[in-house]
């Protein structure tokens, strides 16, 4: 946890930002205590970007300081209630539970089998192989909220064996098939991450902010309904676009289906754990889609986890040992509490009023499109979707909410959907990005070029298809 001496500035800068902002005069419309909290919040955000210590520890440190200093609440008891509020948030536990479902996919072997079956049946042609990769990610996405685990941890280990069948390696031979395959897998996971509420952890964090900031609830089925037109169009286009913009030299071969068949033969027939896990995933999807009126999404995931333990798909020790899930629990709980503090102290409303007044006179559609585009493109400055969500999402949402006549639910969904899609733009934009970049099959220049092109295509589809569709049905 200690900060290396050469990186001392990473720890000093957040403290400096906190101190300098706190010493500035309190703006009109805010109480001094709210301004001091805002200064601390900005210091935390700078820390999340620079990461002098692990990000969950930064969030915990921020909540602890705000609680100790009494920034939120008039008594120590009220401050503590606020400090722990994130740990009682239903969405935070939904995120935690979804990570456990992801572990069930891995432990049972179901995720690997699904990917291999699709590769076996669609992998005869390079374009078909691209669609197999995209469909594998699509099938896994609803119950795997970590796109790093889904794409980087499940899809990538399978497809990294394919280029060698064609003597395709990083460097001069990467374009034979490796470059096409890696970029297709990376670009596809951005689309699947926006299609399902539970396909990306920041999605769940974003709907918690929507609830806190504008008082709207977004259900699992409602999210899917709104995402379908953009998501299905882009998912259908990703392998084809990559085929045109980053074409493979090898267009067809029988080697890939034969390799996948051998891998499946080594796995043997689906065992009890795989069959049980498949049934539990279908049960969860059914309840998420059709059960919203009588059971919450968080309750569903707790039921599925309990059944996974009882039916021995996973063991209790597996849950205790899942550091990623516990890490996310602390991280997201503290971020939710910190964002809630902005609301309780009136800071979000103050920011919204300040900036929305500058947009007066512009058409509502122009304002909405501009705010979504800004939110999307500013991700070039972030190396974490979660940090971006925590830092920018509540502010942009509040600014839009303060604009008279702006449809809040469609706007909120457009911001939410952009989170998954923006992960394609840089080699550091989202968890799987470094995995595919480090493979060496896509050069640095090509990664940035393709990231820009696909990012603009994704943003254009979101605005041209998603915005009119959402404003019409929501």
């Amino acid at each position: 946890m200690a900060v290396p001496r050469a990186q001392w500035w990473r720890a000093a800068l957040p403290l400096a930002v906190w101190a300098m902002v706190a010493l500035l005069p309190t703006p009109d419309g805010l109480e001094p205590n709210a301004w001091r909290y805002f200064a601390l919040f900005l210091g935390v955000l700078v820390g999340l970007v620079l990461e002098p210590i692990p990000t969950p520890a930064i969030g915990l440190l921020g909540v602890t300081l705000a609680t100790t200093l009494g920034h939120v609440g008039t008594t120590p008891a009220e401050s503590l209630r606020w400090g722990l509020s994130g740990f009682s948030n239903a969405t935070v536990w939904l995120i935690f539970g979804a990570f456990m479902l992801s572990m069930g996919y891995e432990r049972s072997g179901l995720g690997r089998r699904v990917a291999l079956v699709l590769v076996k049946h669609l992998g005869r042609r390079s374009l078909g192989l691209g669609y197999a990769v995209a469909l594998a990610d699509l099938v896994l996405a609803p119950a795997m909220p970590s796109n790093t685990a889904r794409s980087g941890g499940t899809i990538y280990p399978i497809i990294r064996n394919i280029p060698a069948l064609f003597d395709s390696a990083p460097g001069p031979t990467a374009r034979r098939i490796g470059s096409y395959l890696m970029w297709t897998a990376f670009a596809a996971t951005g689309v699947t991450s926006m299609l399902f509420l539970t396909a990306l952890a920041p999605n769940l964090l974003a709907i918690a902010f929507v609830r806190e900031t504008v008082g709207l609830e977004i259900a699992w089925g409602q999210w899917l309904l709104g995402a379908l037109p953009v998501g299905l169009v882009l998912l259908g286009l990703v392998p084809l676009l990559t085929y045109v913009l980053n074409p493979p030299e090898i267009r067809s071969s029988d080697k890939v289906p034969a390799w996948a068949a051998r891998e499946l033969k080594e796995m043997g027939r689906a065992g009890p754990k795989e069959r049980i896990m498949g049934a539990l995933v279908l049960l969860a999807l059914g309840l998420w889609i059709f059960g919203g009126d009588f059971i919450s999404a968080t309750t569903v995931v707790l039921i599925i986890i309990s059944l996974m333990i009882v039916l021995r798909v996973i063991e209790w020790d597996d849950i205790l040992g899942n550091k990623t899930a516990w890490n996310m629990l602390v991280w997201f709980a503290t971020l939710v509490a910190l964002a809630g503090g902005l609301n309780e102290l009136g800071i979000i409303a103050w920011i919204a009023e300040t900036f929305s007044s500058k947009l007066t006179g512009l058409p509502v559609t122009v304002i909405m499109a501009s705010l979504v585009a800004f939110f999307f493109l500013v991700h070039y400055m972030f190396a974490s979707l979660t940090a971006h969500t925590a830092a920018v999402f509540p502010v942009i949402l509040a600014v839009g909410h303060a604009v008279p006549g702006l449809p809040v639910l469609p706007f909120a969904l457009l911001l939410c959907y952009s989170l998954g899609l923006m992960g394609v733009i840089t080699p550091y934009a989202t968890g799987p990005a470094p995995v595919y970049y480090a493979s060496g099959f896509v050069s640095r220049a090509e990664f940035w070029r393709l990231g820009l092109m696909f990012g603009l295509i994704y943003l254009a589809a979101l605005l041209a298809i998603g915005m009119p569709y959402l404003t019409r049905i929501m």
Side-chain angles (χ1 to χ4, degrees):
M1 290 273 295
V3 180
R5 184 171 300 177
Q7 302 294 321
W8 63 269
W9 63 273
R10 293 181 182 270
L13 189 57
L15 297 174
V17 168
W18 175 22
M20 286 188 296
V21 175
L23 292 173
L24 293 174
T26 303
D28 293 337
L30 281 183
E31 295 295 325
N33 194 52
W35 182 247
R36 288 193 291 270
Y37 177 82
F38 185 56
L40 173 60
F41 185 82
L42 290 178
V44 169
L45 291 184
V46 174
L48 290 175
V49 173
L50 299 180
E51 296 188 32
I53 59 176
T55 47
I58 294 171
L60 183 61
L61 181 60
V63 168
T64 302
L65 285 170
T67 302
T68 304
L69 296 172
H71 286 328
V72 186
T74 56
T75 66
E78 288 182 5
S79 291
L80 182 60
R81 172 200 58 77
W82 165 79
L84 296 177
S85 62
F87 291 93
S88 62
N89 184 280
T91 303
V92 170
W93 284 98
L94 175 59
I95 297 169
F96 176 80
F99 270 87
M100 294 303 166
L101 289 184
S102 175
M103 184 171 60
Y105 258 129
E106 296 171 18
R107 292 283 192 275
S108 67
L110 179 61
R112 176 176 171 79
R113 185 178 297 277
V114 167
L116 286 171
V117 167
L118 288 169
V119 168
K120 174 184 175 181
H121 291 288
L122 297 176
R124 193 171 302 278
R125 295 185 178 276
S126 297
L127 184 60
L129 184 58
Y131 279 102
V133 170
L135 287 173
D137 202 306
L138 177 69
V139 172
L140 299 177
M144 294 187 77
S146 168
N147 59 356
T148 305
R150 182 173 73 250
S151 187
T154 302
I155 303 296
Y156 174 75
I158 294 171
I159 64 171
R160 70 181 177 186
N161 296 297
I162 295 174
L165 301 174
F166 303 94
D167 296 321
S168 179
T173 60
R175 292 295 292 269
R176 287 185 181 176
I177 196 171
S179 181
Y180 168 76
L181 198 57
M182 297 302 165
W183 185 261
T184 301
F186 174 59
T189 204
V191 180
T192 59
S193 293
M194 68 82 64
L195 256 174
F196 305 102
L197 174 60
T198 45
L200 184 72
N203 291 347
L204 297 157
L205 181 62
I207 65 163
F209 289 157
V210 172
R211 186 187 309 113
E212 292 278 346
T213 306
V214 299
L216 292 175
E217 294 282 349
I218 299 175
W220 200 95
Q222 187 180 27
W223 176 293
L224 178 62
L225 178 64
L228 278 175
V230 176
L232 293 182
V233 167
L234 288 180
L235 196 66
L237 286 176
V238 161
L240 184 59
L241 283 172
T242 310
Y243 200 78
V244 173
L245 298 175
N246 189 40
E249 296 172 358
I250 295 173
R251 303 300 176 98
S252 63
S253 174
D254 293 329
K255 291 183 178 180
V256 173
W259 169 80
R262 290 195 300 272
E263 293 292 311
L264 285 168
K265 186 176 181 180
E266 287 185 16
M267 289 186 71
R269 299 181 62 181
K273 288 187 176 182
E274 286 185 71
R275 293 194 294 269
I276 292 170
M277 189 63 207
L280 291 178
V281 168
L282 292 176
L283 174 61
L285 292 177
L287 290 174
W288 280 334
I289 296 170
F290 303 110
D293 292 336
F294 62 87
I295 188 169
S296 75
T298 304
T299 304
V300 170
V301 82
L302 293 176
I303 291 171
I304 299 300
I305 291 171
S306 299
L307 290 173
M308 287 167 62
I309 296 170
V310 170
L311 298 173
R312 308 303 291 270
V313 175
I314 60 174
E315 303 293 335
W316 181 248
D317 284 345
D318 293 328
I319 291 179
L320 294 178
N322 192 331
K323 293 182 180 180
T324 301
W326 291 108
N327 209 40
M328 283 292 178
L329 178 69
V330 174
W331 189 6
F332 281 39
T334 54
L335 291 179
V336 167
L338 288 167
L342 294 176
N343 254 336
E344 287 193 35
L345 295 172
I347 297 168
I348 289 291
W350 172 73
I351 293 173
E353 291 172 8
T354 301
F355 285 94
S356 62
S357 62
K358 303 181 186 303
L359 302 174
T360 304
L362 293 175
V364 168
T365 52
V366 172
I367 295 173
M368 187 157 61
S370 299
L371 289 174
V372 172
F374 172 79
F375 181 66
F376 188 99
L377 295 172
V378 79
H379 190 58
Y380 273 101
M381 298 171 58
F382 288 87
S384 163
L385 286 173
T386 303
H388 184 185
T389 306
V392 188
F393 186 94
V395 175
I396 299 296
L397 179 62
V399 170
H401 184 224
V403 174
L406 188 142
V408 180
L409 181 56
F411 176 60
L413 284 171
L414 287 171
L415 293 179
C416 289
Y417 296 153
S418 67
L419 288 169
L421 298 177
M422 68 178 63
V424 79
I425 61 177
T426 70
Y428 53 80
T430 186
V435 175
Y436 288 100
Y437 179 65
S439 73
F441 283 99
V442 185
S443 69
R444 178 169 57 183
E446 284 294 290
F447 213 106
W448 284 95
R449 178 183 72 85
L450 291 170
L452 175 61
M453 295 173 70
F454 275 74
L456 293 176
I457 291 168
Y458 286 2
L459 179 58
L462 186 64
L463 296 177
I465 301 172
M467 189 163 67
Y469 169 75
L470 290 170
T471 52
R472 187 168 62 250
I473 70 164
M474 295 295 181

